[in-house]
Amino acid sequence: MPLLSAPPAAASPKRYHDQDLLHVGTWGQDQVHAVRFDPARATMTSLGAVAEVSSNWVAVHPTRPVLYAAGGEPGGFIRTFRIDDVSGALRKTGELETEAVQGSSGGLSYIGLTAEADTLLVADFATGSAATVPIRSDGVLGAVASSVQDTGSGPHPRQAGPHAHHVVVDPSGRFALVADFGADRVFVRDYDRTTHQLSARRPDGDGSYATAPGSGPRRLAFHPNGWTAYLLNELTADIEVLRWDAREGVLTPRRILTTNAPGHTGTTSAAELAISGDGRHVYTSNRGDNALVVFSADPRTGLLTEVQRLPCGGVTPWSFSLHPGGRWLFVANKGSGSVDLFRVDPRSGRLTGTGTSVAVPSPGCVSVRPARH
């Protein structure tokens, strides 16, 4: 399959040796767009559409020029692409169907790599299941290693059944946790790092953490201390601070904070969650307020304090990505069709809008491939 776009005639690898590549999944547009980011000048340059493919979520391999795209159509499709570091263009190298029985509309909601980059974690919103796929050292995907079905429902009209939204492996590597939007649960699965398989924990049912009815769990992240977890609920737009028992695989509630602005009215919807590399700051996006909300994390307790609330730079901040260096944040503003750049103060955690943005139709997520010096 040929590259969809080609580099300018004058382009050369040396010209871009200090610039990063962003690949942007587009919600319902069946395209992946590429953007070149120059951190020295805080500029973003659109390279246009580089793949014609459904891309509910995209993820890049940390060391290989490989991009994975999760489809929104029935079948749970994941496509693999080779990245051209000069042009940002993508060449399709593989395709995998993850659903044994095809679900209805919605498709996959998330894919992510384990810390070792040896397993792809898959959340299937349509079927309410989570799956794992081994990754070879060259970035190539193997066959589906495991798939576990969620159960349950909630009171909201969008919660008629389970809808897996996020999967993450805990710091011990022994458990995989699935935030299920439809079931108002975080399911705790056993995870085997050798076989890449997740499985039910007990014959009489899975360990799980129940959120408030109608909350819609969306994102889960672990603090570097290993015993604190944060859960972002979409429908109630709040963030829960949880204690994680890595020996027993149990979550316990500690505190809950809203991401809504004081006096908020209208749509309530939280979307994205991330933690700074040093664990001192937690970032969230609120689609009802079109805002980014920054929290500081107490280094001893992991408890949160809101330190900043600011406009997201556009409309409907579907997701965002922290740059691996920790000094930049890229916001996919789906409603305004833009990816907007924010500067991160590593000491305070506070964000500053740069005014720099690039147009992308219905951006849903941003993956970052740092420059190879």
Side-chain angles (χ1 to χ4, degrees), residues 112-344:
L113 284 72
T114 56
E116 299 81 11
D118 64 354
T119 308
L120 193 70
L121 306 170
V122 183
D124 192 323
F125 188 90
T127 64
S129 61
T132 55
V133 183
I135 303 174
R136 294 187 345 199
S137 59
D138 59 1
V140 173
L141 295 178
V144 174
S146 65
S147 179
V148 177
Q149 179 67 47
D150 295 348
T151 58
S153 60
H156 192 276
R158 294 176 60 199
Q159 295 180 304
H163 295 301
H165 216 303
H166 192 208
V167 188
V168 63
V169 171
D170 85 306
S172 76
R174 297 176 53 228
F175 301 98
L177 289 81
V178 182
D180 193 295
F181 171 92
D184 284 330
R185 299 269 174 175
V186 176
F187 292 96
V188 181
R189 313 293 193 187
D190 285 329
Y191 178 68
D192 188 316
R193 287 177 289 184
T194 302
T195 64
H196 314 277
Q197 293 180 336
L198 50 81
S199 58
R201 296 185 59 196
R202 298 187 303 271
D204 59 344
D206 294 303
S208 66
Y209 169 73
T211 62
S215 55
R218 182 179 175 93
R219 288 283 185 265
L220 182 76
F222 283 95
H223 190 277
N225 66 22
W227 51 266
T228 301
Y230 303 107
L231 175 66
L232 187 69
N233 295 310
E234 177 179 334
L235 295 174
T236 48
D238 49 41
I239 183 169
E240 299 189 48
V241 183
L242 308 170
R243 181 178 293 277
W244 170 245
D245 182 339
R247 296 182 63 184
E248 301 296 328
V250 174
L251 291 167
T252 305
R254 299 178 64 201
R255 190 166 297 178
I256 187 167
L257 300 88
T258 186
T259 69
N260 285 330
H264 168 85
T265 59
T267 301
T268 299
S269 178
E272 194 55 274
L273 168 70
I275 304 175
S276 62
D278 59 10
R280 296 171 55 212
H281 308 106
V282 174
Y283 300 90
T284 64
S285 68
N286 186 305
R287 296 185 294 198
D289 290 333
N290 291 315
L292 304 174
V293 187
V294 184
F295 299 88
S296 65
D298 186 291
R300 295 180 299 106
T301 66
L303 295 177
L304 301 178
T305 302
E306 184 181 321
V307 297
Q308 187 186 23
R309 177 184 300 271
L310 73 164
C312 65
V315 178
T316 319
W318 207 258
S319 74
F320 57 75
S321 293
L322 279 168
H323 188 276
R327 293 180 178 272
W328 305 98
L329 183 138
F330 308 95
V331 183
N333 282 309
K334 175 178 174 290
S336 54
S338 62
V339 174
D340 294 82
L341 177 66
F342 288 78
R343 192 182 304 272
V344 181

Side-chain angles (χ1 to χ4, degrees), residues 27-165:
W27 193 265
Q29 300 298 308
D30 293 339
Q31 291 182 333
V32 177
H33 281 240
V35 177
R36 192 168 297 286
F37 172 58
D38 186 337
R41 298 175 177 83
T43 60
M44 295 191 296
T45 304
S46 174
L47 302 176
V50 292
E52 301 289 345
V53 64
S54 180
S55 56
N56 273 9
W57 201 261
V58 294
V60 67
H61 194 282
T63 59
R64 303 294 184 186
V66 177
L67 182 91
Y68 309 97
E73 74 275 45
F77 284 96
I78 299 171
R79 281 93 180 186
T80 309
F81 296 86
R82 177 84 179 186
I83 301 170
D84 184 302
D85 283 328
V86 176
S87 67
L90 300 176
R91 178 171 57 85
K92 184 179 175 183
T93 56
E95 180 174 293
L96 178 71
E97 188 173 2
T98 62
E99 293 178 2
V101 178
Q102 291 188 1
S104 58
S105 63
L108 303 180
S109 55
Y110 171 84
I111 53 174
L113 284 72
T114 56
E116 299 81 11
D118 64 354
T119 308
L120 193 70
L121 306 170
V122 183
D124 192 323
F125 188 90
T127 64
S129 61
T132 55
V133 183
I135 303 174
R136 294 187 345 199
S137 59
D138 59 1
V140 173
L141 295 178
V144 174
S146 65
S147 179
V148 177
Q149 179 67 47
D150 295 348
T151 58
S153 60
H156 192 276
R158 294 176 60 199
Q159 295 180 304
H163 295 301
H165 216 303

